[in-house]
Amino acid sequence: MNRVYNFSAGPSMLPEPVLVKAAEEMLDYNGTGMSVMEMSHRSKVYTSIIENAESLLRKLMKIDDSYSVLFLQGGASTQFSMIPLNLFSKYRKADFINTGNWSKKAISEAKLYGTANVIASSEEAKFTYIPEDYKLSEDVDYVHITSNNTLEGTRFMSFPETGNIPLVADMSSEIMSREIDVSRFGLIYAGAQKNLGPAGLTIVIIKNDLIGKHLNITPTMLRYETHSKEKSLYNTPPCYSIYVAGLVFKWLDDMGGVKTIEKINNEKAAILYNFLDESEMFANKVNKKDRSLMNIPFAAPTDELNEKFIKEAEQAGLSTLRGHRLIGGMRASIYNAMPVEGVIKLVEFMKKFELENK
Amino acid sequence: MNRVYNFSAGPSMLPEPVLVKAAEEMLDYNGTGMSVMEMSHRSKVYTSIIENAESLLRKLMKIDDSYSVLFLQGGASTQFSMIPLNLFSKYRKADFINTGNWSKKAISEAKLYGTANVIASSEEAKFTYIPEDYKLSEDVDYVHITSNNTLEGTRFMSFPETGNIPLVADMSSEIMSREIDVSRFGLIYAGAQKNLGPAGLTIVIIKNDLIGKHLNITPTMLRYETHSKEKSLYNTPPCYSIYVAGLVFKWLDDMGGVKTIEKINNEKAAILYNFLDESEMFANKVNKKDRSLMNIPFAAPTDELNEKFIKEAEQAGLSTLRGHRLIGGMRASIYNAMPVEGVIKLVEFMKKFELENK
């Protein structure tokens, strides 16, 4: 077996010990004589799996009881409609900071149910920075940001001060990668398939006082209230993905939690950015102080070099480095599960490639 | 390792060779150096996994190109709203045959968006039979049935003749358990976690001419058009569940397909029903000709005996036999992956229990 360093933007690398454990327990979880995939979601043993996952998630992100933690389906794309359907309770209007492709999708979906007020955008500069010059509205139900932009490689270093207005953040591509103060947010959501586990699981962390105010056209399955009341067991949840996410949470907790991984993530990103800043071939065009720790787009001067790079990197065991089609070039996604060695190997390869192709 | 016979109504048993294969490939799928959980859903290798799953599903159910096969999330519960949101295109009205708990949920959700016209119901008899005496409306967008009733243990032996009006069926607990003529249906849906694979995946088989007529309040992720256009890759699908479902399809195809498993399912159900009909202790109250092949509820005369039975069966490696709380007693769910031996062992245990406790 020859594991590769996989720089996919998502689904993406999982910690190897998590996969080993999942494989070991595949036919018989903990002496039950069945796989986690085969268990009734109402059974005692599965209840302990989901409760354990929630409790580790709360511990890792320091989430208190004024928030509900929900294990949902449908990805961030479903949240784009679920959020306005549940939070457009007074003004039917929200402020948006447009920082990229995923922000745009969130904006477009909110418009189905009310007013999406774009108070700032970096679209004119191809989303290479995080806007800081904006005025928040007073007559909005929430303020929405995409805290880390997977395609464009930017992130909010600090978050807007929204006072009494709930701040809503799509953290899909950076959740649990750095310490954040959850109490600053009304709602945090994230697809699991980048930092948390397999695709098919969406995490929502929502302040309890935002629950139960959905529009009456909201499908039952798209009401936060439905899932909050039933502790994510209104219907069959994505059981196996929750189990694997729980293993990832345990892995992270055992290593020292988010504080520790943040340090490692800073180290990993620095290795790559430092090289990019010195390189005469590869460039990252993002405003330095807004650079993402998780998604690092870069490019050589020509499409031919980019293609050659992607191909040769793949052969060297550095997988899935092609950039998103909207951005082009390359992108290294270096989520929590990417070891430091993977980034070191990537930089060594880039140096070699630069020498060979100059 | 001591695998049990697991009679859970869902999630439920998976074929052991499928679990063995999934465990073997957990850290390295087919020489890629990564788990299926870690792959980009846009990668060539994952594309071949999802395409292969679709093509096997089409083969097994004999589905032609006038239908789309969609791999979605959210379970049947999400379909309860998705169906009216997409199919209420002319009359905003549908006919329903109410055959149990899941029918009721489908009816209640359709009422959010139009008229749910219940043309027949067996509720007065605690859903112990499938109604046959009803008159279909002419001014409806579709007719909805629950083809197999997981809690109550009934199934439609034959399906309503709806002419030009699309017939919609929730087949969650019986899909691929018997040969059906898909061309009789406008839409078939099923949560995967009973006969097809892990929870978190929902299969929708929809006639192409029903796609693209959604109400304008329909969230993008709840439009069939969104997923049909993008071949279930509009956003990240539940990748691993699709992979495991593909392994289940392969297992079924290798053994001879739906025709073969239907024969085995008939055999399994006959073993249990024949015993129940002879037993002086255990009874199944369902109208004989409407009996489900998949879910077989039964009960002893007292709650005490039921509790004793469930407990002792569990100790004997016959797991999760407790009936649904709305029905009580016991329930044996004997889906495709339950071997004949499991049913034989259950009946042997029931005989012994009856002797010991009369």
Side-chain angles (χ1 to χ4, degrees):
Chain A
M1 196 187 59
N2 199 12
R3 297 263 302 162
V4 297
Y5 292 113
N6 171 13
F7 296 89
S8 170
S12 43
M13 278 188 92
L14 288 167
E16 199 168 301
V18 165
L19 295 172
V20 169
K21 180 95 171 154
E24 280 171 6
E25 295 180 335
M26 182 62 87
L27 278 92
D28 182 9
Y29 173 79
N30 211 8
T32 56
M34 57 179 92
S35 173
V36 175
M37 286 186 199
E38 302 178 295
M39 281 174 194
S40 168
H41 57 298
R42 310 276 177 210
S43 63
K44 273 185 199 159
V45 56
Y46 191 75
T47 304
S48 81
I49 290 173
I50 192 170
E51 285 180 354
N52 182 53
E54 178 179 336
S55 117
L56 277 169
L57 190 154
R58 284 185 181 272
K59 181 182 173 196
L60 287 163
M61 294 184 68
K62 302 191 176 89
I63 304 170
D64 71 31
D65 288 346
S66 66
Y67 288 82
S68 290
V69 170
L70 308 177
F71 296 108
L72 306 180
Q73 299 183 58
S77 296
T78 299
Q79 292 309 307
F80 296 160
S81 44
M82 209 158 157
I83 291 162
L85 281 167
N86 283 272
L87 267 51
F88 271 173
S89 57
K90 189 167 175 192
Y91 302 104
R92 281 211 178 207
K93 186 175 165 190
D95 277 351
F96 284 81
I97 301 180
N98 180 13
T99 54
N101 187 57
W102 292 107
S103 300
K104 286 169 75 173
K105 291 202 172 191
I107 290 164
S108 146
E109 198 70 12
K111 284 180 181 167
L112 283 176
Y113 309 107
T115 305
N117 186 36
V118 180
I119 55 168
S121 169
S122 50
E123 188 160 19
E124 90 291 347
K126 293 185 178 170
F127 298 119
T128 49
Y129 71 98
I130 299 292
E132 288 184 338
D133 192 19
Y134 49 79
K135 195 179 168 313
L136 297 168
S137 308
E138 283 172 15
D139 58 341
V140 290
D141 292 309
Y142 60 93
V143 178
H144 183 280
I145 62 167
T146 314
S147 72
N148 184 82
N149 295 277
T150 326
L151 276 64
E152 299 82 2
T154 60
R155 67 152 171 172
F156 282 76
M157 190 69 187
S158 59
F159 303 109
E161 298 282 351
T162 62
N164 287 327
I165 298 172
L167 178 60
V168 173
D170 179 353
M171 293 199 180
S172 292
S173 49
E174 70 149 355
I175 190 164
M176 284 197 201
S177 69
R178 56 169 163 158
E179 289 194 298
I180 59 144
D181 176 2
V182 171
S183 74
R184 293 279 315 280
F185 296 86
L187 191 156
I188 291 168
Y189 63 105
Q193 69 273 14
K194 297 163 194 288
N195 261 334
L196 307 183
L201 168 64
T202 313
I203 304 289
V204 170
I205 301 158
I206 181 172
K207 211 158 164 52
N208 290 330
D209 59 17
L210 296 177
I211 296 174
K213 298 174 176 176
H214 47 265
L215 306 184
N216 56 21
I217 56 163
T218 310
T220 301
M221 280 291 289
L222 264 52
R223 299 176 183 182
Y224 293 121
E225 187 180 50
T226 301
H227 302 285
S228 167
K229 268 189 184 167
E230 303 287 340
K231 294 181 161 287
S232 304
L233 291 165
Y234 170 74
N235 71 335
T236 317
C239 299
Y240 196 72
S241 297
I242 293 169
Y243 153 72
V244 176
L247 295 180
V248 173
F249 301 160
K250 175 85 166 51
W251 166 82
L252 186 52
D253 190 45
D254 285 350
M255 84 159 59
V258 178
K259 196 186 190 97
T260 305
I261 202 80
E262 180 173 3
K263 227 179 116 192
I264 299 171
N265 286 333
N266 277 314
E267 190 189 331
K268 282 170 1 195
I271 293 169
L272 186 46
Y273 283 123
N274 288 344
F275 168 69
L276 286 167
D277 290 343
E278 286 166 14
S279 167
E280 288 173 19
M281 175 178 280
F282 300 104
N284 165 279
K285 290 179 181 164
V286 168
N287 191 27
K288 281 194 184 177
K289 75 170 191 39
D290 301 325
R291 282 170 161 179
S292 169
L293 293 184
M294 297 284 103
N295 311 98
I296 306 186
F298 58 93
T302 69
D303 286 349
E304 276 159 325
L305 277 171
N306 289 336
E307 286 302 323
K308 189 164 188 252
F309 179 86
I310 292 162
K311 197 179 158 192
E312 292 182 7
E314 193 76 46
Q315 287 160 354
L318 303 164
S319 183
T320 326
L321 278 159
R322 183 179 297 280
H324 191 277
R325 66 187 159 74
L326 293 178
I327 311 290
M330 282 75 79
R331 172 178 47 176
S333 294
I334 51 174
Y335 298 118
N336 286 358
M338 171 64 69
V340 178
E341 299 73 45
V343 182
I344 292 172
K345 210 175 159 204
L346 171 62
V347 167
E348 281 168 2
F349 179 81
M350 290 168 79
K351 284 181 182 164
K352 184 165 155 281
F353 185 90
E354 186 168 345
L355 270 174
E356 289 170 358
N357 293 278
K358 67 174 169 185
Chain B
M1 195 188 62
N2 199 11
R3 299 262 302 159
V4 298
Y5 292 112
N6 170 13
F7 295 89
S8 171
S12 43
M13 278 188 93
L14 288 167
E16 199 168 301
V18 165
L19 295 172
V20 169
K21 180 95 170 152
E24 279 171 8
E25 295 180 334
M26 182 62 86
L27 278 91
D28 182 8
Y29 173 78
N30 213 8
T32 56
M34 57 179 93
S35 173
V36 175
M37 285 184 199
E38 301 177 297
M39 282 174 193
S40 167
H41 57 298
R42 310 277 178 207
S43 64
K44 273 184 197 160
V45 58
Y46 191 75
T47 304
S48 82
I49 290 173
I50 192 170
E51 285 179 357
N52 182 54
E54 178 178 338
S55 117
L56 278 168
L57 191 153
R58 284 185 181 271
K59 181 183 174 196
L60 287 163
M61 293 184 68
K62 302 190 176 91
I63 303 170
D64 70 31
D65 287 344
S66 66
Y67 289 82
S68 290
V69 170
L70 308 177
F71 296 109
L72 305 180
Q73 299 183 57
S77 296
T78 298
Q79 292 309 306
F80 296 160
S81 43
M82 209 158 158
I83 292 163
L85 280 166
N86 284 271
L87 267 51
F88 271 172
S89 57
K90 190 170 176 190
Y91 302 104
R92 282 213 179 203
K93 185 176 165 189
D95 277 350
F96 284 82
I97 301 179
N98 180 13
T99 54
N101 186 58
W102 292 106
S103 300
K104 285 168 76 173
K105 291 200 172 192
I107 291 164
S108 143
E109 198 71 10
K111 285 181 181 166
L112 283 176
Y113 308 107
T115 305
N117 186 34
V118 180
I119 56 170
S121 168
S122 49
E123 189 161 16
E124 91 291 346
K126 292 186 180 170
F127 298 119
T128 49
Y129 72 98
I130 299 291
E132 288 183 339
D133 192 19
Y134 48 82
K135 197 178 167 313
L136 296 167
S137 309
E138 283 171 16
D139 58 341
V140 291
D141 292 309
Y142 60 93
V143 178
H144 183 281
I145 63 168
T146 314
S147 72
N148 184 83
N149 296 277
T150 325
L151 276 64
E152 299 82 2
T154 60
R155 66 152 172 172
F156 281 77
M157 190 68 186
S158 59
F159 303 109
E161 298 283 351
T162 61
N164 287 327
I165 298 172
L167 179 60
V168 173
D170 178 355
M171 292 199 180
S172 293
S173 49
E174 70 149 354
I175 191 165
M176 286 196 200
S177 69
R178 56 169 164 159
E179 289 195 298
I180 58 143
D181 176 1
V182 170
S183 75
R184 293 279 315 281
F185 296 86
L187 191 157
I188 291 169
Y189 63 105
Q193 69 273 15
K194 297 164 195 287
N195 261 334
L196 307 182
L201 169 64
T202 313
I203 305 289
V204 170
I205 301 157
I206 180 172
K207 212 157 165 51
N208 290 329
D209 59 16
L210 296 177
I211 296 174
K213 299 175 175 174
H214 48 263
L215 306 183
N216 57 20
I217 55 163
T218 310
T220 301
M221 281 290 290
L222 264 51
R223 298 176 183 182
Y224 293 121
E225 188 180 50
T226 301
H227 302 286
S228 167
K229 270 189 182 166
E230 304 286 339
K231 293 181 161 289
S232 305
L233 291 165
Y234 169 75
N235 71 334
T236 318
C239 299
Y240 196 73
S241 296
I242 293 170
Y243 154 74
V244 176
L247 295 179
V248 173
F249 300 160
K250 176 84 167 52
W251 167 81
L252 186 53
D253 190 44
D254 285 349
M255 84 159 55
V258 178
K259 197 186 189 99
T260 305
I261 203 80
E262 179 173 1
K263 226 180 117 190
I264 299 171
N265 286 333
N266 276 314
E267 190 189 330
K268 281 172 357 195
I271 293 169
L272 185 46
Y273 283 125
N274 288 344
F275 169 69
L276 286 168
D277 289 343
E278 287 166 13
S279 166
E280 287 173 19
M281 174 178 280
F282 299 105
N284 164 279
K285 290 178 181 167
V286 169
N287 192 26
K288 281 195 183 177
K289 78 172 189 40
D290 300 324
R291 282 170 163 180
S292 169
L293 292 184
M294 296 285 103
N295 310 98
I296 306 185
F298 59 91
T302 68
D303 287 348
E304 275 160 325
L305 277 170
N306 290 336
E307 287 302 323
K308 187 163 189 253
F309 179 87
I310 292 162
K311 196 178 158 193
E312 292 181 6
E314 194 76 47
Q315 287 161 352
L318 303 164
S319 182
T320 326
L321 278 160
R322 183 180 297 279
H324 191 279
R325 67 186 159 75
L326 293 177
I327 310 291
M330 282 75 79
R331 171 176 50 173
S333 294
I334 51 175
Y335 298 118
N336 286 356
M338 171 63 70
V340 179
E341 300 71 47
V343 182
I344 291 171
K345 207 174 160 207
L346 171 62
V347 168
E348 281 168 2
F349 179 82
M350 290 168 79
K351 283 181 181 163
K352 184 165 154 282
F353 185 91
E354 186 168 343
L355 270 174
E356 288 172 359
N357 293 278
K358 68 176 170 184

